[in-house]
Amino acid sequence: MFRSAEQKNFANIVAAHIERQDGPLLIEGGAGLGKTRAYLLAVMNAARSGKCIALALPTHALIDQLRESSDLAATGEEVTVAAFRPARMYETRSEYQEARKVAMAAQVMLCTAAAIVIDNRNSGEYNGATKRDYLLFDEADQLPSAAAMQVDMEIPAHVFSEFHIKVETAEQAARDLLTRKLAEPEHKAAAKLVLEILGEPAWYHSAGVTEDGGVAAYHQMPGLLLKRVANLGNSAFVSATLTLGGSFTDFKRALGIGKESTLSSTIEPAKHGDLRFVVNDAHDVDTPEWMTAVLGAIADAARPVLVVTPSHDLAQNIGAAVPGAVVRGDDETTAGAAVRVGNDGVLVAAGAWAGLDTPTQWASVVVPKVPYPPPTILDGKTESTYLSARGVAIRRLRQVFGRGLRMPDAVCTVYLLDPRARKLSGIVPSRFAQQWLERVYQEGTRGAVVRSEAERDLALRKAALRKYGCKCAACGFMPKVSQQIEIHHLYPIAGGERKTTLADVAPLCANCHRLVHSTTPPMPLDALRRAAAGVNDT
């Protein structure tokens, strides 16, 4: 049933919290642990004992993935499971009412986080999710920036027309709509949210009349829409990337969570797969040189290859330049697109950090750009902060790296080509910290337009000084400033492009560096040490 002790521990913690409910549970399961099956086992057992459960995911596409997953099939015996969808997804009112009835009667109801926001604003009369015994949010790392939670937070102009409401101000229109008994629950929830926002002005949210005459609520921190529910003792938040720097603080702040459950945990599998890292961050993104490096990494990478981009436009551009590449469409999941990729193929997928695992074991993962979220702009002003965007980018990168860890014996090489990654920390699972320290640096790329000399990577210098210290490896000189130490390549890169590890370099003072290159080929490090010590080899 469980493939590791860590997976069993994960399931046991969720099961214990279903019974204890001493505050919202925050539980992180590292890539490869199998967190989905673990929490499903706990949830299904609770449902068999009479508990009513709601499982929330950020989008309906992710709900579809979960319903079709082998994890649910393996754990859902004798338990009724149904998905709740909003009225707009049905052709007729009667179809919606029937499907809603089935979902609300199911022991386990699947819905979006947005539906839970709406249900909370409607006192549990929307789909009853907030009246259930237990609420579990999967892919919870997406909640702090989940724009999908705002899909239902707008009241279209035609709704006001149908109820003969003249829209003069957002507040007036929202209040008038709430007096209409036949108004849809989604629209009533949006009206309540509009009034809530207008009654508590803050920099991170606003509400007003749209250009077409409707009324909408806008939120810079959509995670806070869940604040009321997020602080309930029967709520649980599950993800592979809930922490930053080993702490839940950033996630708690984004959702307005106060004190979490004493069971909250971070569980990392002791062993599941192996990651290796290749860095080529010599070029600024969106330059011709950078694109050349990206395409070069894809050409060098072992197949099959997953190329993860932050936008569909970039995915299309890269896909067009890679013969035979499959590009994920904006109407399909990464897992769905992966089915079209052979064992020797390339998949270019925007947003591939989101969703359940793919059916493919990727030999390589290429990351052309750090997946920062797009800026949030209101009234012509950028409202989102670098700090919040940085947190999102770190979480997404950790999810991306996990895409190469589908199988216990997986071996995957990650190619990172964005110099902005140097400013991010904690992007690698802790069990791969040593592999990250020993990452390979792609050097020596010759730019026909820019310059012809071999390029050295500045990050390599920093990494070498961290590993070996600011000390000459030949004479032992320890300068007061690090600029007096140079990084010597034990094997010259003048011959062309190559991959460099920290084992291929040594820190030398300027005198020893010139001495080592006084011969052709450069003298070995042992000979240099003897020369620096004044020992004659002849």
Side-chain angles (χ1 to χ4, degrees):
M1 183 179 296
F2 297 107
R3 69 188 185 199
S4 68
E6 294 86 7
Q7 188 183 43
K8 182 177 180 179
N9 185 27
F10 194 101
N12 288 341
I13 289 174
V14 175
H17 183 255
I18 291 174
E19 298 301 322
R20 183 182 301 183
Q21 299 188 7
D22 62 340
L25 174 68
L26 311 180
I27 182 165
E28 178 177 284
L33 182 136
K35 63 178 179 60
T36 303
R37 181 164 297 191
Y39 81 67
L40 282 174
L41 285 167
V43 161
M44 295 304 177
N45 284 335
R48 291 186 189 97
S49 68
K51 300 282 188 184
C52 290
I53 313 290
L55 293 183
L57 289 100
T59 66
H60 291 287
L62 292 178
I63 289 176
D64 290 338
Q65 277 191 266
L66 183 61
R67 292 185 72 184
E68 297 167 4
S69 71
S70 59
D71 290 324
L72 185 60
T75 58
E77 296 180 5
E78 301 176 3
V79 174
T80 56
V81 180
F84 172 84
R85 315 281 190 181
R88 70 173 187 278
M89 298 184 72
Y90 296 89
E91 291 187 2
T92 67
R93 178 74 177 174
S94 60
E95 285 181 333
Y96 164 66
Q97 292 288 11
E98 181 59 29
R100 175 175 178 268
K101 182 179 179 180
V102 171
M104 292 181 68
Q107 293 165 285
V108 176
M109 180 174 67
L110 308 179
C111 64
T112 63
I116 291 182
V117 172
I118 295 170
D119 191 64
N120 179 257
R121 295 309 192 280
N122 283 298
S123 303
E125 299 302 320
Y126 177 51
N127 65 359
T130 53
K131 290 184 177 181
R132 291 201 160 221
D133 299 312
Y134 199 67
L135 298 172
L136 188 145
F137 295 82
D138 193 8
E139 302 288 335
D141 61 287
Q142 297 186 44
L143 295 178
S145 60
M149 275 205 285
Q150 298 187 163
V151 169
D152 296 303
M153 301 309 162
E154 179 175 352
I155 310 166
H158 71 81
V159 173
F160 295 106
S161 297
E162 291 169 6
F163 288 102
H164 307 290
I165 296 173
K166 182 178 180 181
V167 179
E168 297 177 346
T169 67
E171 181 178 6
Q172 161 265 319
R175 291 191 186 282
D176 286 350
L177 185 65
L178 289 175
T179 66
R180 304 313 200 256
K181 292 182 179 181
L182 296 180
E184 294 287 356
E186 292 97 330
H187 299 146
K188 285 187 176 181
K192 290 177 180 178
L193 183 61
V194 166
L195 296 177
E196 183 180 307
I197 288 173
L198 294 175
E200 299 179 8
W203 66 268
Y204 52 80
H205 60 202
S206 63
V209 178
T210 62
E211 292 183 357
D212 63 359
V215 172
Y218 300 93
H219 214 292
Q220 301 300 308
M221 302 173 69
L224 288 179
L225 293 171
L226 282 166
K227 183 176 180 179
R228 298 178 186 177
V229 176
N231 282 282
L232 297 176
N234 66 337
S235 292
F237 298 88
V238 174
S239 172
T241 56
L242 279 189
T243 63
L244 285 180
S247 170
F248 290 115
T249 300
D250 183 78
F251 181 80
K252 289 168 60 179
R253 183 185 299 116
L255 269 70
I257 294 175
K259 185 178 180 180
E260 76 270 26
S261 168
T262 56
L263 294 168
S264 294
S265 306
T266 298
I267 303 176
E268 185 83 4
K271 175 63 179 176
H272 187 96
D274 188 23
L275 291 180
R276 299 161 186 178
F277 301 92
V278 176
V279 177
N280 184 351
D281 55 5
H283 308 292
D284 290 335
V285 297
D286 297 326
T287 62
E289 295 79 14
W290 166 78
M291 181 57 79
T292 297
V294 169
L295 298 179
I298 296 172
D300 290 344
R303 267 48 177 171
V305 184
L306 174 63
V307 184
V308 183
T309 68
S311 71
H312 287 286
D313 286 344
L314 179 58
Q316 291 289 344
N317 290 340
I318 292 175
V322 178
V326 172
V327 180
R328 179 178 85 83
D330 56 9
D331 59 347
E332 66 178 338
T333 64
T334 301
V339 175
R340 300 188 280 124
V341 180
N343 290 331
D344 59 349
V346 176
L347 172 61
V348 188
W353 53 82
L356 304 183
D357 207 355
T358 67
T360 305
Q361 174 54 60
W362 305 104
S364 306
V365 173
V366 177
V367 186
K369 273 187 174 183
V370 170
Y372 285 106
T376 303
I377 300 175
L378 283 181
D379 298 328
K381 294 173 58 180
T382 300
E383 301 288 354
S384 52
T385 65
Y386 169 74
L387 188 61
S388 62
R390 176 180 174 274
V392 172
I394 291 173
R395 288 193 180 96
R396 287 177 175 178
L397 276 177
R398 288 169 60 191
Q399 292 277 26
V400 167
F401 296 165
R403 291 294 180 237
L405 297 171
R406 180 171 180 266
M407 305 297 291
D409 59 351
V411 176
C412 180
T413 300
V414 176
Y415 293 79
L416 189 56
L417 296 105
D418 189 336
R420 296 175 298 176
R422 300 172 185 172
K423 298 180 180 180
L424 304 178
S425 60
I427 61 176
V428 174
S430 58
R431 69 184 189 273
F432 299 120
Q434 187 60 37
Q435 288 91 327
W436 179 249
L437 289 175
E438 296 173 354
R439 59 191 178 274
V440 168
Y441 292 85
Q442 189 80 43
E443 293 192 306
T445 303
R446 295 184 179 276
V449 177
V450 181
R451 59 179 186 267
S452 61
E453 70 268 21
E455 300 170 358
R456 265 76 169 176
D457 192 291
L458 295 177
L460 176 63
R461 169 184 171 80
K462 294 179 181 178
L465 291 179
R466 284 196 301 269
K467 180 176 178 64
Y468 299 113
C470 190
K471 177 181 178 180
C472 179
C475 69
F477 173 63
M478 298 179 65
K480 293 182 178 179
V481 293
S482 62
Q483 285 82 357
Q484 292 177 274
I485 290 293
E486 301 171 359
I487 302 303
H488 168 60
H489 288 69
L490 302 176
Y491 312 100
I493 67 172
E497 182 177 355
R498 74 107 181 278
K499 297 177 174 65
T500 305
T501 69
L502 294 180
D504 299 323
V505 299
L508 296 177
C509 66
N511 288 339
C512 288
H513 203 184
R514 284 159 181 73
L515 181 60
V516 78
H517 285 288
S518 63
T519 63
T520 302
M523 67 177 67
L525 190 57
D526 286 343
L528 176 65
R529 289 182 177 132
R530 290 192 292 272
V535 177
N536 193 330
D537 285 340
T538 59

